[in-house]
Amino acid sequence: MRFSVGCEIGYELLSPSTLIFNIEAMTGGRQTIQSEKLTIDPQLSADDSVAIDSGNRYLRLTAPAGPVQLRYEAIVALEAVHAEPEAIEEVPVAQLPLETLPFLNPSRYCPSDQLARFASRQFGDIAPGFSRVTEICNWINAEVDYLSGSSDTTTTAADTFSTRAGVCRDFAHLGITFCRALGIPARFVSCYAWQLEPQDFHAVFEAWLGDRWYLFDATRMAALDGMVRIGCGRDAADTAFATIYGQVNSGPIRVWSEALDGDTSEPWTTDAVSITRT
């Protein structure tokens, strides 16, 4: 199925500044970019590169004081992979691919060592596999209120666990933290999300099960089969849509994701089906 995704971002630079963006859709695997366009106003030179370790696409822009406007738009095709949850197993640490091992460790926003005892007590007796990660998402969805403005850029998964409130990035951080505490590699994913209301950059997470990454969204606010990946990393610190070095005032941000074909008469499942990217 194909999706039209994109964003418009504006800033008023108060001094010469360098801005690093991670807003372009990832390439490869089961996500194919059919067309894309990036517009920068005023016209400025920019560096565009792909991180070797993650596949994230970074755009670095250096601009003088004044207004800057970016518009990114793309047509992206997604190939969904559906599997029986009961057949998807966890992988012992001794057999995990080496590239997944960093996603077992605590990180800035995912202090899995601090919540290990709770994770073991709450989820340790559940049969290992896809269903256990689903139960983690069920617990987060039931126990944590989705509340705009309840967190900020300093909020960790431990904070969210304590306050029992957060937004999508906090739900993802808590899911990652519980998974890592149980020995399941997990990573943060930013994306354009079809059916998300209101539209914004969305945060979910992936867990390594069987022989690939599987996508999970504890918020249950968007369709898993309609998520176009932008970036992935240990947590939100690796996938910020904008990192700014300088003094700026932020303007309005507009994000969109629209289905272009296929049967969209019924919402796609948000919990039993997953998309993977190898």
Side-chain angles (χ1 to χ4, degrees), residues 42-101:
Q43 292 185 357
L44 298 165
S45 61
D47 301 321
D48 197 349
S49 66
V50 178
I52 296 174
D53 57 341
S54 65
N56 297 355
R57 300 171 65 191
Y58 295 107
L59 177 74
R60 182 173 60 188
L61 179 68
T62 299
V68 173
Q69 184 82 22
L70 277 80
R71 177 183 173 91
Y72 173 74
E73 49 194 315
I75 304 298
V76 181
L78 297 181
E79 178 187 350
V81 175
H82 298 173
E84 292 296 329
E86 295 79 8
I88 305 172
E89 300 179 346
E90 292 177 23
V91 181
V93 174
Q95 299 174 21
L96 284 169
L98 291 177
E99 61 268 22
T100 68
L101 297 185

Side-chain angles (χ1 to χ4, degrees), residues 140 144-148 150-151 160 165-176 188-191 196 200-205 216-221 236:
I140 296 171
V144 180
D145 294 329
Y146 191 96
L147 186 61
S148 297
S150 60
S151 62
T160 302
V167 294
C168 60
R169 60 174 264 158
D170 305 305
F171 279 55
H173 283 154
L174 194 53
I176 291 167
F188 188 92
V189 177
S190 61
C191 59
L196 181 68
D200 201 348
F201 294 111
H202 194 43
V204 294
F205 74 96
F216 295 88
D217 181 6
T219 72
R220 306 286 166 71
M221 294 176 66

Side-chain angles (χ1 to χ4, degrees), residues 13-218:
L13 277 56
L14 305 180
S15 63
S17 303
T18 296
L19 303 89
I20 301 174
F21 296 99
N22 182 202
I23 58 175
E24 298 168 285
M26 302 178 76
T27 61
R30 296 175 174 84
Q31 179 167 301
T32 303
I33 299 176
Q34 296 186 337
S35 65
E36 62 180 352
K37 181 181 179 181
L38 177 68
T39 304
I40 304 173
D41 184 21
Q43 292 185 357
L44 298 165
S45 61
D47 301 321
D48 197 349
S49 66
V50 178
I52 296 174
D53 57 341
S54 65
N56 297 355
R57 300 171 65 191
Y58 295 107
L59 177 74
R60 182 173 60 188
L61 179 68
T62 299
V68 173
Q69 184 82 22
L70 277 80
R71 177 183 173 91
Y72 173 74
E73 49 194 315
I75 304 298
V76 181
L78 297 181
E79 178 187 350
V81 175
H82 298 173
E84 292 296 329
E86 295 79 8
I88 305 172
E89 300 179 346
E90 292 177 23
V91 181
V93 174
Q95 299 174 21
L96 284 169
L98 291 177
E99 61 268 22
T100 68
L101 297 185
F103 300 103
L104 285 173
N105 300 328
S107 60
R108 176 180 176 182
Y109 293 112
C110 301
S112 50
D113 50 343
Q114 297 179 24
L115 296 181
R117 185 168 60 179
F118 175 83
S120 178
R121 183 170 66 248
Q122 184 70 34
F123 308 110
D125 292 334
I126 300 173
F130 187 96
S131 297
R132 176 151 67 168
V133 182
T134 299
E135 284 303 314
I136 289 173
C137 292
N138 290 343
W139 185 93
I140 296 171
N141 189 268
E143 298 294 332
V144 180
D145 294 329
Y146 191 96
L147 186 61
S148 297
S150 60
S151 62
D152 57 30
T153 57
T154 67
T155 302
T156 70
D159 297 326
T160 302
F161 179 76
S162 176
T163 62
R164 300 297 171 93
V167 294
C168 60
R169 60 174 264 158
D170 305 305
F171 279 55
H173 283 154
L174 194 53
I176 291 167
T177 299
F178 286 151
C179 284
R180 291 178 184 173
L182 296 168
I184 305 169
R187 66 186 185 183
F188 188 92
V189 177
S190 61
C191 59
Y192 295 105
W194 179 48
Q195 296 183 339
L196 181 68
E197 293 295 339
Q199 272 292 316
D200 201 348
F201 294 111
H202 194 43
V204 294
F205 74 96
E206 288 177 322
W208 181 272
L209 301 166
D211 62 351
R212 65 189 64 188
W213 293 103
Y214 284 87
L215 190 67
F216 295 88
D217 181 6

